[in-house]
Amino acid sequence: MAGPSVIQQRQQEVLRMLGEGYGCTELVTALADRWGCSRRTARRYVYRAHAELVDDLEHVEKQDMLAACVNRLERIARKAEKAGQYAAAVGATRSLLDLSMQSSHHRPPMGRFGHG
C-alpha cells in the first residue's frame, strides 16, 4: 500500500495528466502499467482527481470544458474512422455518449452489458 506522500504525488500526476487531455480509460491503463497497481486502484485515483478537477470549475467553465471535450471527441472519432481505426472511433463515440448521459444527469451504463 502506498504511503500518504506517494498518494499525494500520484494524485498530482493524475491531475496533471487530466489537464493534458488524457481520457479516463486511457489514463487508468497508463497508470496501472506505470505504477504496477490494479486497474481498480488506478481508477480510484482517476475518479478522485476528476472529482477534484470538476469541483474546482465554475459553472461557466464546466460548460466550456464540456463543449471542448465534445469537439475533441468528435474530431477524434472522425479522424479515427477515416484512418480505419474503428476501435478508436467507437471509443470516442462511447465517450460522447457517456458525456451526454452525465450532462443530462442519467446514470451511464456500467459493465460489459450495461448493468451496474
Side-chain angles (χ1 to χ4, degrees), residues 63-100:
Q63 294 299 324
D64 290 343
M65 180 174 268
L66 178 62
C69 286
V70 167
N71 179 270
R72 186 174 192 168
L73 287 168
E74 287 174 337
R75 190 174 66 243
I76 289 168
R78 187 177 57 252
K79 285 183 174 184
E81 191 169 349
K82 186 176 179 181
Q85 299 293 325
Y86 299 111
V90 169
T93 304
R94 173 59 195 248
S95 294
L96 281 167
L97 174 64
D98 290 347
L99 273 177
S100 71

Side-chain angles (χ1 to χ4, degrees), residues 3-5 8 12 16-17 23 31 36 46 48 50 55 69 76 79-81 84 93 95 97 102 108-109 114:
S5 63
Q8 181 63 27
Q12 292 304 310
R16 181 186 54 76
M17 293 175 82
L31 296 175
V46 172
R48 287 185 200 126
H50 185 267
D55 285 344
C69 286
I76 289 168
K79 285 183 174 184
E81 191 169 349
T93 304
S95 294
L97 174 64
Q102 288 174 5

